[in-house]
Amino acid sequence: MLAVKPKIDLGVNIDHIAVLREARKINDPDPLMALAICAQAGADQITIHLREDRRHIHDDDAYRIINSSPIPVNLECAIDPEIITIVTALRPHRATLVPEKRSEVTTEGGLDVAGSYDLILNTIKKLNESEIEVSLFIDPTNEAVDLSHKLGAQWVELHTGTYANLYAMRYSALPHSHHAIDELRLSRHELDKRLADALEDIKKTADYAHSLGLKVAAGHGLNYQNVVAMVAIDTITELNIGQSIIARSIFTGLSSAVKEMKSLCQR
Ligand code: PXP
């Protein structure tokens, strides 16, 4: 428990604006317009993912967003030397290193930090030399935190997908993702137990990372219901949220969707 509760920042992931544009392969809607609205509505950060397959955000989007954003830009990317060269030239405030598989619908799990240790080490060095802070998107385990700390990352972002999935199954019977949980016929009692465990894993890992001096973010599958428990974890100082905000914006408008999420992120 911290003596003074630090504020929690909201990073809005606007990849899905580009997903909609790519459905038609035209120039509308433009993620740059979303940036302006999110910033005005109180977003503290914009998050975009420059994927190797460029399925949504393109290099040109990243360039325009980074160069005109009034708020910090967090650029998610794979630990791929070609992409990292582009990222160092773009110079976002932060790069979040994520695992990337072409077959996945979204980022389904955290980085294999042990398996890619040397590559991550060189990547962090290269990014830091360009004055770009580095965050590692990891599963909520102390082992992954220890390695991130040893690697010299400034941030860890804890993958909240398992928690979000269990929450969705418990309260709406709809899994957040069709991947993460195998057993779809768990009893409510068992779901309650697993949900509590998943939450505890995030809390303990966030506290541990904070105690080592790492800055702690969290994200994936967070929405207007399940975000409340994340906000209650004092050592998490940033949440990155995309799908639920952009989904709501279709019905309420983007400004209102961001403001509503921001109001849930008050401590
Ligand atoms: N954080 C990271 C590192 C991600 O890869 C994603 C998904 O792109 C998010 C946060 C946002 O996840 P969601 O769209 O499910 O809110």
Side-chain angles (χ1 to χ4, degrees), residues 45-118:
Q45 170 173 273
I46 284 296
T47 295
I48 49 175
H49 186 171
L50 187 66
R51 292 187 72 105
E52 286 175 282
D53 61 10
R54 308 298 199 275
R55 70 170 72 152
H56 38 55
I57 294 291
H58 297 167
D59 300 47
D60 180 48
D61 295 320
Y63 178 84
R64 291 184 306 138
I65 287 168
I66 290 165
N67 285 289
S68 55
S69 181
I71 52 178
V73 177
N74 170 29
L75 186 55
E76 293 177 15
C77 57
I79 32 170
D80 167 77
E82 236 174 81
I83 286 279
I84 297 301
T85 301
I86 295 170
V87 173
T88 49
L90 286 166
R91 293 193 65 178
H93 288 81
R94 191 189 315 160
T96 296
L97 305 181
V98 300
E100 222 176 85
K101 288 190 221 113
R102 285 190 184 221
S103 56
E104 71 192 357
V105 177
T106 178
T107 319
E108 301 292 352
L111 280 169
D112 174 9
V113 190
S116 309
Y117 192 89
D118 290 338

Side-chain angles (χ1 to χ4, degrees), residues 207-221:
D207 290 353
Y208 181 56
H210 175 82
S211 76
L212 295 180
L214 285 158
K215 292 181 265 191
V216 186
H220 201 88

Side-chain angles (χ1 to χ4, degrees), residues 13 15 76 96 98 106-107 137 157 176 219-221 240-243:
N13 182 315
D15 292 344
E76 293 177 15
T96 296
V98 300
T106 178
T107 319
F137 191 39
E157 178 169 340
H176 155 71
H220 201 88
N240 286 303
I241 307 179
Q243 164 80 29

